[in-house]
């Protein structure tokens, strides 16, 4: 990614022509997704309680719950949760992870076509999932799901500069070799350079919500070589590569981590929460 962030793209903006196909890749190996994908920092849930009202007894609709990375902590807060997940395998793992949480229901359905229940929700939460929902539907349907004064809470995750910085510079050679869509000289942006105004603009354009409030958290996570490769295997862009290219890319990355970084790398995430209230 170029250092001139005016030309940089967020990594959570799938091309509309590929959005539907890419989002289906997550269900191909739900067990791997559950094992490899990280959770969110505890401060995020404090923010969800403070800004969005995700508190004990609150009625929460989670859109795209995956295998429950955010659902499980929300259940521990005492929220009543309906979690909608399009992937049947992902939903099955989520139900297993939430076994014993009596106030949680996991529904296997596309959010776009799922009929909303009569009782409105206090909060609609989407954790690293809102960008996979049809842009023509997501704002209006989220608003319809909420009671007056309810909150839409969208969590977005970005990979940013930090951690084992030299690895993330060096690894671009692997991507340039095996993924022809990789721009030359790609570099991760600094967290301070990530712009969330696209979401605020979409919210405002919908005319269904008040102003958007943002909170940000940074999180460094360290991975062994095998753990990092498992993580990459859960990303839609990696899964969509031809098998030979994907195999070559992962071998190249594994060699770099093992030979140059002692078998471990640290990755920095920016977790951005955007909360907008329905009038």
């Amino acid at each position: 990614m170029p250092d001139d962030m005016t030309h940089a793209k967020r990594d959570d903006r799938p091309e509309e022509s590929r959005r539907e196909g890419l989002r289906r890749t997550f269900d191909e190996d739900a067990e791997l997704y559950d094992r490899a994908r990280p959770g969110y920092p505890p401060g995020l849930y404090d923010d969800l309680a403070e800004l969005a009202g995700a508190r004990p007894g609150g009625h929460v609709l989670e859109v795209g719950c995956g295998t429950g990375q955010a659902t499980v902590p929300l259940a521990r807060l005492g929220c009543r949760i309906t979690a909608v997940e399009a992937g049947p395998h992902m939903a099955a793992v989520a139900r297993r992870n939430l076994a014993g949480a009596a106030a949680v229901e996991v529904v296997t359905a596309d959010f776009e076509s799922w009929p909303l229940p009569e009782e409105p929700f206090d909060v609609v939460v989407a954790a690293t999932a809102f960008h996979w929902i049809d842009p023509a539907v997501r704002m209006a349907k989220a608003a319809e799901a909420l009671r007056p004064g309810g909150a839409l809470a969208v969590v977005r995750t970005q990979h940013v500069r930090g951690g084992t910085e030299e690895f993330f510079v060096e690894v671009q050679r692997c991507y340039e070799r095996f993924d022809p869509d990789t721009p030359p000289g790609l570099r991760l942006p600094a967290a301070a350079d990530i712009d969330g105004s696209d979401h605020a603009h979409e919210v405002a354009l919908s005319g269904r919500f008040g102003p958007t409030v943002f909170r940000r958290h940074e999180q460094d996570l360290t991975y062994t070589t095998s753990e990092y490769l498992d993580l990459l295997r859960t990303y839609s862009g990696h899964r969509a590569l031809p098998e030979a290219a994907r195999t070559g890319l992962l071998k190249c990355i594994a060699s770099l981590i093992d030979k140059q970084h002692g078998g471990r790398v640290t990755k920095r995430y920016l977790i951005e929460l955007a909360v907008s209230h329905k009038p």
Side-chain angles (χ1 to χ4, degrees):
M1 190 169 292
D3 286 336
D4 178 2
M5 291 303 300
T6 61
H7 297 98
K9 289 185 177 180
R10 296 181 62 105
D11 54 20
D12 60 356
R13 292 177 184 162
E15 294 178 14
E16 186 56 26
S17 62
R18 302 183 69 202
R19 176 181 53 79
E20 185 63 27
L22 288 174
R23 82 170 184 170
R24 298 295 176 184
T25 67
F26 298 115
D27 201 51
E28 294 170 354
D29 194 340
E31 295 290 350
L32 175 64
Y33 188 98
D34 186 56
R35 182 175 73 248
R37 281 294 180 109
Y40 300 96
L44 175 70
Y45 300 98
D46 296 335
D47 291 343
L48 281 168
E50 176 192 348
L51 298 178
R55 303 186 185 96
H59 195 194
V60 174
L61 169 61
E62 185 181 1
V63 178
C65 71
T67 60
Q69 278 77 5
T71 327
V72 171
L74 284 169
R76 290 177 183 149
L77 285 178
C79 299
R80 293 187 297 130
I81 305 169
T82 300
V84 179
E85 170 53 49
H89 298 101
M90 301 275 273
V93 176
R95 291 188 190 99
R96 184 187 70 205
N97 290 337
L98 289 151
V104 179
E105 178 188 15
V106 178
V107 178
T108 305
D110 290 324
F111 175 67
E112 293 91 333
S113 59
W114 177 63
L116 292 172
E118 290 186 10
E119 181 187 355
F121 294 88
D122 300 311
V123 187
V124 172
V125 174
T128 318
F130 205 61
H131 55 288
W132 295 115
I133 306 301
D134 185 347
V137 173
R138 58 196 181 201
M139 283 294 170
K141 191 158 187 178
E144 290 169 10
L146 288 165
R147 62 166 174 79
L152 170 63
V154 173
V155 180
R156 300 203 288 178
T157 303
Q158 294 285 311
H159 311 302
V160 295
R161 190 179 305 158
T164 312
E165 290 194 27
E166 60 274 22
F167 165 73
F168 291 100
V169 173
E170 297 159 353
V171 78
Q172 290 308 313
R173 292 196 295 271
C174 296
Y175 283 95
E176 290 173 14
R177 178 180 174 189
F178 290 101
D179 183 357
D181 291 334
T182 302
L186 191 70
R187 295 293 181 267
L188 288 172
D193 292 327
I194 293 293
D195 183 4
S197 64
D198 62 316
H199 178 74
H201 178 70
E202 183 181 357
V203 170
L205 197 63
S206 75
R208 306 295 293 269
F209 297 93
T212 301
V213 176
F214 291 92
R215 290 279 176 87
R216 288 182 163 197
H217 300 265
E218 292 181 39
Q219 178 171 253
D220 283 1
L221 296 177
T222 298
Y223 299 92
T224 65
T225 303
S226 61
E227 289 169 343
Y228 191 66
L229 295 187
D230 277 350
L231 176 70
L232 295 181
R233 290 186 181 101
T234 71
Y235 291 155
S236 59
H238 292 69
R239 297 191 68 86
L241 286 173
E243 184 176 354
R246 182 171 61 251
T247 298
L249 173 63
L250 295 178
K251 284 183 178 179
C252 183
I253 294 171
S255 177
L256 179 60
I257 297 173
D258 285 337
K259 293 179 180 179
Q260 301 296 326
H261 299 281
R264 287 180 178 272
V265 290
T266 298
K267 187 178 188 66
R268 179 166 296 172
Y269 298 86
L270 172 67
I271 296 95
E272 181 182 62
L273 170 66
V275 176
S276 314
H277 285 267
K278 178 180 176 178

